[in-house]
Amino acid sequence: MSAAIKTASGKIVKMNSRAGAALPDVNIYRERLWSDAQALIERLDRHAITPDEYIAEVRALHHSVDMAAELKPWIKRTLIERKDQVLNQKTMPKKAWTMQLLYLEPGEVHPPHHHHNLISTQVLLHGRIYVREWDRVARLAPDQILLRTRSDGWFKPGDRMETTEVARNAHWFCADDKPAVILNFYIHGFQSWTFDPPGIRGRRMLDPTHGVQADGLIVARELPLKEGHERFGDMPIVDVPLPRHLPA
Ligand SMILES: [Fe+2]
């Protein structure tokens, strides 16, 4: 077993990225929030809808349901057990999906990272989180990418992060001083075009404080997983300003 990843203060990091792990199939939640989502995955898979249309349809589905009421028992269980609750999960050779509730302990940070061939929707169900999201604009070097900031602020219950290969692919979020619960619904392997070549797995950490261009776009450096957690795992996001270009 590999050594646990820790933050600079020594907190052990809970890993919820697949990162190549073989995860068990789960199908314990079968209400409309899942069955309609599964129908959307099937439409995306046969190219009847585009990734952007899929994301919009998932949003419409979520708006048609009282999420807090529908998931109330699961939110309660997440807070009591203080751990993630996997509702639905399937892994196939080239594709995968997971619908789960994430438990964020007070102050827990998900350091800045980006994804490969992922489409995800994350909805805050309980508590308060701070979120920064970016579009990836270009790869500048083997370990550097250019980012455009899309959001930077506090989320209240109901607010959502939406991620595809081409929009808002990179993000960074943390809980305030109380626990938070997030619905995390992601699918892997459903996009034809990818920012980086095929074969990459899991989230990749970023340092968005590395630099900034005169046009305000952020020059982010990619970091090994361990370094990302050591660097950002203990700090509330509001305490880390993004670099700004200062005119001469
Ligand atoms: Fe993520």
Side-chain angles (χ1 to χ4, degrees):
M1 203 173 133
S2 57
I5 291 180
K6 295 178 182 174
T7 67
S9 70
K11 261 194 298 186
I12 291 177
V13 174
K14 297 180 297 178
M15 298 308 299
N16 64 3
S17 165
R18 284 175 175 257
L23 299 176
D25 287 354
V26 176
N27 190 18
I28 54 175
Y29 176 79
R30 295 177 189 161
E31 302 305 320
R32 201 182 128 225
L33 204 51
W34 169 248
S35 57
D36 281 15
Q38 195 175 19
L40 291 172
I41 296 172
E42 284 161 11
R43 286 171 65 200
L44 178 69
D45 196 29
R46 61 174 193 268
H47 307 294
I49 51 174
T50 66
D52 284 346
E53 288 165 343
Y54 165 85
I55 277 277
E57 293 275 359
V58 171
R59 189 188 313 131
L61 169 62
H62 288 178
H63 287 161
S64 74
V65 173
D66 182 346
M67 302 263 281
E70 169 60 25
L71 294 170
K72 194 173 176 183
W74 290 101
I75 296 168
K76 198 173 161 190
R77 191 163 160 180
T78 308
L79 289 165
I80 289 170
E81 295 184 3
R82 291 188 286 171
K83 65 182 184 77
D84 302 345
Q85 306 288 330
V86 180
L87 306 184
N88 300 86
Q89 184 158 269
K90 190 165 178 74
T91 307
M92 294 156 283
K94 292 191 172 170
K95 292 173 183 169
W97 65 61
T98 294
M99 187 162 118
Q100 62 185 340
L101 266 60
L102 294 184
Y103 174 75
L104 269 65
E105 62 187 55
E108 181 174 331
V109 180
H110 286 235
H113 61 276
H114 66 124
H115 294 275
H116 180 73
N117 208 346
L118 173 118
I119 303 177
S120 82
T121 293
Q122 305 199 78
V123 185
L124 181 63
L125 297 171
H126 175 92
R128 208 164 75 111
I129 60 172
Y130 195 96
V131 177
R132 282 180 178 153
E133 293 173 285
W134 298 274
D135 290 334
R136 293 179 302 192
V137 176
R139 177 165 288 286
L140 302 176
D143 66 345
Q144 277 185 23
I145 62 172
L146 195 59
L147 301 176
R148 175 174 61 165
T149 305
R150 293 291 303 273
S151 73
D152 185 5
W154 286 104
F155 269 29
K156 59 184 185 314
D159 289 344
R160 53 205 295 119
M161 284 178 260
E162 293 174 341
T163 301
T164 70
E165 193 65 18
V166 296
R168 297 176 185 247
N169 184 280
H171 47 226
W172 179 8
F173 53 96
C174 69
D176 67 1
D177 58 355
K178 296 188 180 67
V181 179
I182 299 173
L183 173 71
N184 171 258
F185 170 42
Y186 68 81
I187 62 174
H188 266 302
F190 287 83
Q191 291 160 105
S192 312
W193 179 87
T194 52
F195 183 83
D196 286 317
I200 293 162
R201 294 186 79 98
R203 59 171 70 177
R204 285 164 295 158
M205 310 306 260
L206 293 169
D207 176 2
T209 68
H210 178 70
V212 66
Q213 296 189 157
D215 57 10
L217 296 177
I218 304 268
V219 178
R221 192 168 69 87
E222 287 180 305
L223 303 173
L225 192 65
K226 187 170 175 287
E227 206 179 317
H229 284 286
E230 285 171 357
R231 177 87 191 272
F232 295 105
D234 290 318
M235 285 183 291
I237 298 173
V238 283
D239 291 353
V240 190
L242 288 174
R244 293 192 70 86
H245 176 70
L246 300 173

